[in-house]
Amino acid sequence: MNRPLLRKYEKPKHINDYPVGPCFEAGYLVTENSGWRTKKPVVVKDLCIGCFYCYMCCPEGVILRKEKLIDIDYAFCKGCGICAKVCPKKAINMEREGGKDGI
Ligand code: SF4
Ligand code: SF4
C-alpha cells in the first residue's frame, strides 16, 4: 500500500518553478498531517499475532509491516480507530493524545 512520504518544503524561487495543476508531486507531503488527532493507536506487542488485518484496513496506509509485527507512522495517522476496531486480538488501544505516553 502506498503511503505519503514526508519531504522538506523548498519554496520555489521563480514563478516558472511552480507546478501547473496539483500543488505538488503525488505521494509526498511537506508537513505532518496529524496535529488534530485526539487519540492515537498504541500496539500491545504481546497480544499482536502479526495477522496484518489492521495493515489492510487502515484508510491512510500508515501501518507498516515491521519484521513479523506492525509499526504505525504517527506523522500521518489520523486517529480514526479503525485498526483498533478490526483487530481480532484487541492488540491496539486508542489512547488519549498527550496522555501518559505522549508522542
Ligand atoms: S490486527 Fe491486531 S493482531 Fe493483527 S497485526 Fe494488527 S495489531 Fe496485530
Ligand atoms: S487510527 Fe486510523 S489512521 Fe491511524 S493507524 Fe489506525 S486505522 Fe490507520
Side-chain angles (χ1 to χ4, degrees), residues 12-94:
K13 294 183 174 48
H14 189 272
I15 186 113
N16 289 337
D17 296 335
Y18 280 92
V20 179
C23 295
F24 289 98
E25 192 182 341
Y28 292 90
L29 291 174
V30 293
T31 184
E32 293 190 359
N33 189 21
S34 59
W36 39 268
R37 186 179 59 221
T38 56
K39 288 188 172 180
K40 67 173 184 175
V42 177
V43 182
V44 182
K45 289 194 167 53
D46 290 344
L47 295 179
C48 176
I49 57 171
C51 67
F52 299 122
Y53 195 44
C54 57
Y55 166 87
M56 291 188 286
C57 293
C58 173
E60 300 299 308
V62 297
I63 297 180
L64 319 172
R65 296 170 69 157
K66 189 175 179 186
E67 293 162 11
K68 292 185 178 171
L69 298 179
I70 60 157
D71 199 9
I72 297 172
D73 183 351
Y74 288 118
F76 297 112
C77 164
K78 65 184 178 184
C80 65
I82 290 174
C83 53
K85 190 85 175 171
V86 301
C87 175
K89 292 294 177 183
K90 303 283 178 237
I92 299 179
N93 294 324
M94 295 302 292

